[in-house]
Amino acid sequence: MRFESALDAQRHTQGQFDNDSKHKHPECKTSFALEKHASKIYTVSVFYDFQEELEIGCFHCGLEEYKKENGFEIFTIREGCRIRKFDVSFNPANLDSKCMCKMFERLGIPCRHMVWVWKAKMIEYIPDAYVLNRWTSLATKTPIFDLEGNILEACVNFVDCKRMLNELWSEIHTCVSLAQGNEEDLTDLVKNLKGLRLNLEAKKSSNNHENNGSPSKATDIELLIGATLPTEIVVKPPKISKNKGTGVHVPGTGSDKRLKGDKEKAIEQSQKKKRLCRGCGELGYHDIRNCPHKVKEN
């Protein structure tokens, strides 16, 4: 049960991230085509990481040295006030880029030095070799292959279901946008959607009645723990035990004494009837045992 709860929490978080990537468009800080391309392919969190690299690469990096070796272009990039320089090897034939900082090999995100080279070469998109599928918004929609290279049938069905859901949401948003300016069209749209919802609810309830014989989640839990749910609860809450000095008030057990404050003691003392002390011969709230005159004499 804890394992299922942990998976449910992960699925909920993944659903939130998928929804953000689908419906929220991150804000671009520059007008570069590289940033616009990244905002379309990356998830929101990964895009902001790439945006930071692009901003530093475009505004805080510069060219220190340029040379050609064996068909490769070598760019020596300086970064702000850092003493260390970084060499970027660029192949104009296939856009292959390698930087000595190794950020892409470590994190899977193009570094600021590679971004500077792409900007200098007027490249308007991130090369496909430097876009890892795990960081894209469509990472969970690609098919999964087994060890022999065959597409798993369950994965194909899941991808088809995802595609149908995307098409459904697209149709719904399109209908809402078309009927947005006309009250009559909005009324008809709401009426049709309510009719579809009622039909689906009736269909689902009829399916549930037919599948009543199938084991439920409660039955699965009973099989897991090896016990059935009791029809009558006979276990009662335990009695409260009072330890010495705790001041716990337990009515009806003979241990209802509690610690009293000075004010409460004074009020109770004032409500008592005065009596004659045989030690001092005065009326008061004391007797010969705790007479204040006797204490002074002692």
Side-chain angles (χ1 to χ4, degrees), residues 25 29 51 58 81 88-89 102 107 118 133 136 143 153 157 159 176 181 186 192 218 225 240 250 253 261 276:
H25 302 284
K29 295 183 179 180
Q51 187 182 57
C58 294
C81 299
V88 180
S89 174
K102 302 294 183 181
L107 303 178
W118 293 342
N133 180 64
T136 61
E153 184 178 357
N157 297 334
V159 173
V176 172
L186 283 174
N192 293 332
I225 63 178
I240 303 176
V250 185
T253 59
L276 180 63

Side-chain angles (χ1 to χ4, degrees), residues 191-205:
K191 183 178 180 181
N192 293 332
L193 289 176
K194 284 184 177 180
L196 290 174
R197 179 177 60 82
L198 294 175
N199 293 335
L200 291 174
E201 289 177 353
K203 185 178 179 180
K204 189 173 182 179
S205 61

Side-chain angles (χ1 to χ4, degrees), residues 1-192:
M1 287 184 288
R2 293 179 180 176
F3 179 75
E4 289 182 356
S5 299
L7 286 182
D8 290 341
Q10 289 184 3
R11 293 190 185 103
H12 179 69
T13 304
Q14 181 68 28
Q16 285 183 330
F17 289 155
D18 290 343
N19 182 71
D20 293 343
S21 299
K22 186 186 300 182
H23 300 290
K24 293 183 179 180
H25 302 284
E27 182 181 359
C28 295
K29 295 183 179 180
T30 65
S31 58
F32 299 137
L34 275 172
E35 187 177 14
K36 292 182 180 179
H37 180 244
S39 66
K40 295 178 181 179
I41 60 175
Y42 284 137
T43 61
V44 177
S45 57
V46 177
F47 168 74
Y48 285 132
D49 294 337
F50 175 79
Q51 187 182 57
E52 182 180 359
E53 294 297 318
L54 181 137
E55 186 178 3
I56 296 176
C58 294
F59 300 107
H60 299 280
C61 293
L63 181 64
E64 183 75 18
E65 185 182 354
Y66 171 78
K67 58 183 178 181
K68 289 186 178 182
E69 291 182 0
N70 301 325
F72 291 89
E73 300 180 9
I74 309 299
F75 295 83
T76 302
I77 308 297
R78 65 175 184 274
E79 180 184 340
C81 299
R82 295 185 64 177
I83 300 176
R84 185 181 178 184
K85 307 297 187 297
F86 299 90
D87 293 336
V88 180
S89 174
F90 178 75
N91 187 354
N94 55 5
L95 305 182
D96 186 20
S97 307
K98 291 185 180 180
C99 181
M100 62 182 298
C101 73
K102 302 294 183 181
M103 178 178 176
F104 178 76
E105 287 78 5
R106 289 183 287 109
L107 303 178
I109 300 176
C111 66
R112 58 197 67 175
H113 317 110
M114 296 167 60
V115 170
W116 189 95
V117 174
W118 293 342
K119 176 177 173 293
K121 301 298 291 185
M122 304 296 292
I123 298 176
E124 297 183 351
Y125 61 93
I126 302 175
D128 295 338
Y130 300 96
V131 179
L132 297 186
N133 180 64
R134 64 180 300 180
W135 301 139
T136 61
S137 57
L138 300 176
T140 57
K141 299 178 183 178
T142 55
I144 301 175
F145 299 87
D146 58 9
L147 296 177
E148 298 178 356
N150 301 320
I151 300 179
L152 298 179
E153 184 178 357
C155 177
V156 174
N157 297 334
F158 178 74
V159 173
D160 293 340
C161 183
K162 279 268 188 180
R163 187 181 296 110
M164 292 178 63
L165 285 175
N166 291 337
E167 293 178 358
L168 175 62
W169 281 114
S170 178
E171 293 294 335
I172 291 175
H173 287 301
T174 303
C175 292
V176 172
S177 61
L178 291 175
Q180 188 174 2
N182 194 329
E183 185 177 355
E184 184 178 354
D185 293 341
L186 283 174
T187 305
D188 294 339
L189 180 61
V190 172
K191 183 178 180 181
N192 293 332

Side-chain angles (χ1 to χ4, degrees), residues 270-283:
S270 62
Q271 294 176 352
K272 291 182 179 179
K273 189 177 181 180
K274 292 183 179 182
R275 54 187 175 179
L276 180 63
C277 176
R278 291 184 296 173
C280 61
E282 297 179 358
L283 289 174

